[in-house]
Amino acid sequence: MTAQERLIWLRERTTLGCLPDAVLGAIAAVLEPQTLPPGTPISEMGQVPQGFYLLITGKVATQTATNTPETNAATQGTIFNLRELLLAQVSPEAIATVTEAQVWFMPRHQWQKLVQQYPEIAQTFSQDLAQELATVTNALQQEQQQQEVLRPYFVAKAKRGVVGKSRYAQRLRQQIREAGTHGRSVYIFGEPGLEKDNLAALIHYGSPRRRQPIIKLDCNLLQKSGAELFGRTDGKKGLLAWLEEGTLILNKIEELPPELIDKVATLIQTQTYTPISRPGDPDPVPQQTAAKLVAIAEKQVPALARHFSETIKVPPLRVRKADLAAQVDYYTSLYCRAKGLPKPKLTPEALRRLQSYDFPNNIRELKNLVERAIVQSDQGADLTEEIFWSAQGKQKRFRFNLLNAYPALRSFLRSAWWPDRLNYGFTAIAFPLIIAILFLAPQTRDQNFALNFFWAWWWPLVLLAFPFVGRLWCAVCPFMIYGEITQKITTEFLKRDLKPWPRQQAEKWGGWFLFGLFTLIFLWEELWELENTAYLSAWLLIIITAGAMICSAIFERRFWCRYLCPIGGMNGLFAKLAITELRAQQGTCSAECSTYQCYKGGPQKGEGLETNGCPLYSHPAQLEDNRDCVLCMTCLKACPHRSVAVNLRPPAIELWTTHQPRTYEVALLLLLLGGIFLHRLPEINQVLGLNVDLAQFWPHCGLAIASLLIPAGVVLLTGATVQYFGALPKSKSFLQLTYGYLPLVLGGSLAHYLRLGLGEAGRILPVTMATFGLQGAALPIVVAHPAVIAFLQGVTLIFATLCTLILTKKISKQPWRSLWPQHLTSLGLGWAIAQIVVGL
C-alpha cells in the first residue's frame, strides 16, 4: 500500500480522518505494519502503553479490573491506546490478541514527537474528549437517577440455584436456562414458600441482560391507575421507562388491581404501554419497552396467564422428596457456615420422617425446620428424628410406630415364622382335623370341642380383636392357606398361568356378592341352628374354603380375600375401628423406591427380602383405611428402605379423615346390625308378644328376614330425615354418616357372643373328653355367673353406644343438636339391643 493509499485509508476508515491532510500524511508515513500472534499484549492494565495500535484484521480480548475477559470482533480501523497516549495515562484495561492480528503500530516516542510537531492533533482530540466527557457525565447522572428511582425495588442477586437431582429439579433448571435465552415474558406459578422470586432472579442473572437492573414490584401495592409503573404524560417517567432493558418481576400478580388487568395484559402481549394522563394533559402516546417481564403467582390467573410466552410451574416440595436429603444438607451447610458451627449429619430415620411430611409451606418451611433442628441439637453430631418433632402431616399425627419402639417385634414380623411357618406348620394341619371332628364327633356344642371352639371361642375372640389388631386373623386364615396351596398346585404341577384380576367388575360387584353370601349364611345359621349343629358348621367352613380355592385356581394372589370372602368383608369393615394400622411413608417410597417390591414382589434387595408382593395388591403407601390390609407383613419384609410402619393411632381415625364411603359396605354394616336381632329371635318373639311358632320353617323364615330388614329400615329412615332437614353439610353424605353406627354393630355382636364365650368356652376340657366318648365331668370348668355376663354385656353396649355418638359427631363435624335424629336412633338401637341381649 502506497503512502497516498494509506492516507486515504486512514481518512475513510478511522477516527483520525478529522485531522488535516498534512498531519494525517505525517502519521501515515511513520506507521509500521506488524503481524501479532495470538496472546500478544497490546496494552497491560496499570501500565503506560508502548505505542499506538491500529487494527487491520483479527480479534482481541479486553479485561478490566472488575470483569472477566471478553472477546471483541473489533472492526477495521479500531485504534487502541489513543486516549492514554494523549493524556499520558496508564491503561485502565488489558488488551491482547486472541487470533493472529494485522496491525499498524507507532511507538510512543514517535507519537509524542508528532503531537509536539502538530498541535492540531491535541486540539482536535481534546474537543472530542470534552464532548465524550460530557456524554459520559450525562450518562452517569442518568444512571445515578435510575439507581435512586429503582433502589427500593432492586433484586440484588439470586440467593441460590435449584438444589437436588430429581427429575423435577432437572426439568426446573432446564426451564430456567431456556427462559434466560430470550427476552420474552415468563409466567412462574406455584404454591407458597417455593422461592419463585429467586427463580425469576436466576432467569435474569443467567441471561445476556444480567448487567441490566432487575426489580421486583408487589402488585398488591400498585395504585389503581398504575402511574408508578407506566409513568405520566406530564413527563414523570414510570418504572418501565427507568428500567430500560432490565427485568421486571411482577410479584403476586393474582393480587393485581382489577383496573390494571387489561393494561398489564396489553403490556405482556405487545411490550407497549400508555402513560397515565390527567385532565388537561396532552393525549398519551403509547410507549415501547425493552424490559423482560416475569410474573409470579401462587395460582393461575387465566386473564393474564394466556398472554405469557412461557409458563413455568414450580413443583411443590411434597413431590420432590428425592431432593430432601440434598436440600437438608445445603441448608445445614449454609446455617453452620454462617454461625461457625460444626456441621451435623442427618440420620436415615430423620430423613424418613421428613419424607413422610408434605411441607405445606415448602422450601421456606424446610429451611426454618432445619435451622431450628440444628439449634435444638446443641452442636450434636447428628440431626435425629426426635428434633424434627413438627414434621408431621395432619394424617400422620398421633401415630406411634411400634416397629421402631420394639425392634424385636420387627424381627419377628420379618421372620419366616410370621405367618408362613405358623400357617403351614400348624393351621394347615389343624384345619382339616377340625373339619373331620365336626363331621364325625357328636353334633352339639356340649359334646364337640371343635364346635365349641368355633362358636364359643373364635367368634368372641375375633370380635374382641378387631379394635386392637384389625384384620390380623386374615393373615392366618385357613381358607386362604388352602387357596395358596391350590395356586402352587395350579402353577407348579398343572403348569397353568393364573389370570389377572377383573378389577373393574370386582370393584363394582364383589362387595354385593359377599353381601348376598353373608345374608344367606345368616339365614342358614338361624333357620338350621348352625351354632349347635356340627356338620352344618363344617359345611359352612368347607364352602368358604372352596370359594377361596376356586378363585385361587383361576386368579393370581388373594382375589377371594379382597373381593368375595364374606368373613373378609366383615373383618375389613370392623378393622376400620382398630387402634393399629399398617402404612408406609409416602415420601420415602416416592423418593427412594423405584422397584415397588412390596407391591409387585421381587428378589432380595438390601434389607428387603425376596417376596411375591402384596397378596391383596395394596401398596402400603396408598392405603387410606385398614380394609385392604391383612397384616401378612409381606411389604415389611420386601421393603429395603424401612418405610413400612405398624402404628398405634386413635381408633377409627380414618373414618373422619381419609375414608371413602362405599355403598356395599354400608349395606353390609346394616346387615350385621340386623344380624344382632336375628340371633335373638326367641327373645324378640317373647318381648314383642308375637307368638310366632319358630318350629315352623316359613314363619321362622319370615320373622328372620324381618329382623334383618327392620333395623336397616330404621337407619335409612333416620338418614332420610337428617338429609331432609338439611342437618348434613354438603361435604358429607348419608353413606359417610352411616359408618357412625359401626361401634354399635361391633359392640352388639360382641355382647351377643359373650354369652357363649363366658358361659361355655370355659367348659372346653370336659367337652373335649366328650368328643372322644370319654368322661370329663370331674375336669375343671371356668365360666362366669349369668349376672357377670349380663353386666359385661351391658357395659359393652353402653360403651359401644357412646362410641357411636362420638364417631357420628366426628364424621359429620356438626354440633350435637344438628344430628339429633341419628343420635336418638343410636340410643334407641342400643336400648333395643340391650333389651334382647341382656334382658333389661
Side-chain angles (χ1 to χ4, degrees), residues 173-446:
R173 277 193 287 267
Q174 179 63 27
Q175 289 177 311
I176 290 171
R177 281 194 294 268
E178 291 175 357
T181 60
H182 57 73
R184 300 189 300 274
S185 57
V186 181
Y187 183 71
I188 304 175
F189 77 98
E191 296 177 4
L194 289 172
E195 296 186 339
K196 297 179 286 295
D197 53 347
N198 182 63
L199 301 180
L202 286 173
I203 292 173
H204 173 81
Y205 287 108
S207 71
R209 61 180 75 214
R210 57 184 172 275
R211 292 185 178 177
Q212 300 295 327
I214 173 174
I215 64 173
K216 181 172 73 172
L217 187 61
D218 288 334
C219 293
N220 58 346
L221 301 180
L222 281 173
Q223 302 176 23
K224 293 182 179 180
S225 65
E228 66 266 60
L229 181 61
F230 303 123
R232 295 191 178 276
T233 53
D234 59 8
K236 184 177 179 180
K237 294 166 65 175
L239 293 174
L240 282 170
W242 285 113
L243 191 58
E244 298 176 349
E245 295 183 358
T247 298
L248 171 63
I249 301 175
L250 294 170
N251 191 34
K252 300 178 182 177
I253 198 169
E254 70 271 18
E255 299 180 10
L256 189 74
E259 296 82 357
L260 292 179
I261 289 179
D262 290 340
K263 295 179 181 180
V264 172
T266 301
L267 174 66
I268 298 166
Q269 257 183 309
T270 64
Q271 289 287 106
T272 61
Y273 64 94
T274 303
I276 308 304
S277 61
R278 294 192 179 101
D281 288 347
D283 293 337
V285 178
Q287 304 290 321
Q288 192 80 21
T289 180
K292 183 181 182 75
L293 303 175
V294 180
I296 293 175
E298 292 183 357
K299 58 182 180 180
Q300 281 279 22
V301 185
L304 296 173
R306 64 176 180 269
H307 300 303
F308 285 90
S309 300
E310 186 171 343
T311 298
I312 298 176
K313 182 179 179 180
V314 187
L317 196 55
R318 65 176 175 273
V319 305
R320 292 179 56 195
K321 298 297 178 68
D323 295 331
L324 269 177
Q327 288 174 325
V328 171
D329 183 73
Y330 173 80
Y331 289 117
T332 302
S333 301
L334 207 65
Y335 184 82
C336 291
R337 189 163 53 244
K339 300 295 183 181
L341 300 174
K343 181 182 173 182
K345 179 184 177 183
L346 184 71
T347 65
E349 294 78 15
L351 177 60
R352 284 194 289 270
R353 179 158 191 169
L354 290 174
Q355 288 173 334
S356 70
Y357 182 52
D358 285 341
F359 291 97
N361 289 309
N362 292 291
I363 295 174
R364 183 194 309 135
E365 183 176 2
L366 174 64
K367 179 175 178 288
N368 294 336
L369 199 63
V370 170
E371 291 178 358
R372 185 173 64 202
I374 296 172
V375 173
Q376 288 180 311
S377 70
D378 196 21
Q379 299 190 29
D382 295 320
L383 296 179
T384 59
E385 179 183 10
E386 293 76 18
I387 58 177
F388 290 100
W389 54 269
S390 64
Q392 297 185 56
K394 290 182 178 180
Q395 297 177 9
K396 300 296 180 184
R397 290 177 185 169
F398 311 114
R399 264 46 172 206
F400 178 75
N401 189 348
L402 295 171
L403 301 183
N404 288 346
Y406 304 103
L409 177 62
R410 174 189 290 274
S411 298
F412 171 71
L413 294 178
R414 283 174 51 85
S415 72
W417 283 100
W418 183 262
D420 288 349
R421 288 184 182 174
L422 183 62
N423 284 344
Y424 292 99
F426 174 74
T427 309
I429 298 171
F431 184 65
L433 294 177
I434 289 175
I435 295 293
I437 292 171
L438 288 172
F439 273 117
L440 302 175
Q443 293 296 295
T444 57
R445 272 199 315 274
D446 60 348

Side-chain angles (χ1 to χ4, degrees), residues 531-774:
E531 285 187 4
N532 205 33
T533 309
Y535 81 95
L536 291 179
S537 295
W539 275 115
L540 173 62
L541 298 176
I542 289 173
I543 289 171
I544 298 176
T545 305
M549 294 175 69
I550 292 170
C551 286
S552 298
I554 300 172
F555 300 111
E556 56 190 6
R557 307 200 188 185
R558 293 191 179 185
F559 181 76
W560 173 264
C561 286
R562 174 149 185 171
Y563 292 113
L564 305 178
C565 178
I567 304 299
M570 177 191 70
N571 294 354
L573 191 61
F574 287 142
K576 298 174 188 286
L577 299 173
I579 62 172
T580 54
E581 65 179 9
L582 184 144
R583 298 291 187 270
Q585 300 178 41
Q586 292 181 343
T588 301
C589 294
S590 63
E592 299 185 21
C593 183
S594 59
T595 59
Y596 306 106
Q597 287 179 240
C598 62
Y599 179 78
K600 299 188 298 184
Q604 181 173 351
K605 179 183 178 183
E607 186 179 305
L609 305 176
E610 181 179 2
T611 69
N612 293 322
C614 177
L616 262 61
Y617 272 128
S618 297
H619 194 295
Q622 297 173 344
L623 287 173
E624 293 186 347
D625 64 32
N626 287 343
R627 182 180 73 111
D628 293 328
C629 177
V630 296
L631 298 175
C632 64
M633 301 300 162
T634 300
C635 53
L636 176 64
K637 297 176 181 181
C639 180
H641 308 294
R642 293 208 170 194
S643 175
V644 179
V646 177
N647 297 321
L648 282 179
R649 64 173 196 174
I653 189 173
E654 64 201 33
L655 290 175
W656 72 81
T657 54
T658 62
H659 188 255
Q660 295 296 321
R662 298 172 177 86
T663 306
Y664 65 81
E665 277 190 343
V666 171
L668 181 60
L669 187 154
L670 297 179
L671 177 66
L672 293 171
L673 174 63
I676 302 171
F677 292 87
L678 176 68
H679 291 142
R680 295 291 180 153
L681 279 189
E683 289 83 352
I684 293 175
N685 196 22
Q686 180 181 352
V687 170
L688 298 180
L690 300 177
N691 298 321
V692 175
D693 185 1
L694 298 181
Q696 299 293 320
F697 178 81
W698 290 112
H700 191 180
C701 182
L703 185 59
I705 294 174
S707 68
L708 292 176
L709 294 177
I710 292 175
V714 171
V715 171
L716 294 174
L717 181 62
T718 301
T721 303
V722 170
Q723 284 196 320
Y724 178 79
F725 286 105
L728 201 60
K730 293 181 179 179
S731 60
K732 301 293 180 182
S733 67
F734 161 71
L735 290 179
Q736 287 174 294
L737 208 58
T738 307
Y739 284 89
Y741 294 104
L742 197 53
L744 181 59
V745 175
L746 177 59
S749 301
L750 179 59
H752 164 71
Y753 281 105
L754 280 177
R755 171 179 59 86
L756 296 177
L758 297 177
E760 296 186 17
R763 302 178 186 273
I764 190 69
L765 292 179
V767 171
T768 302
M769 298 301 290
T771 302
F772 300 101
L774 302 175

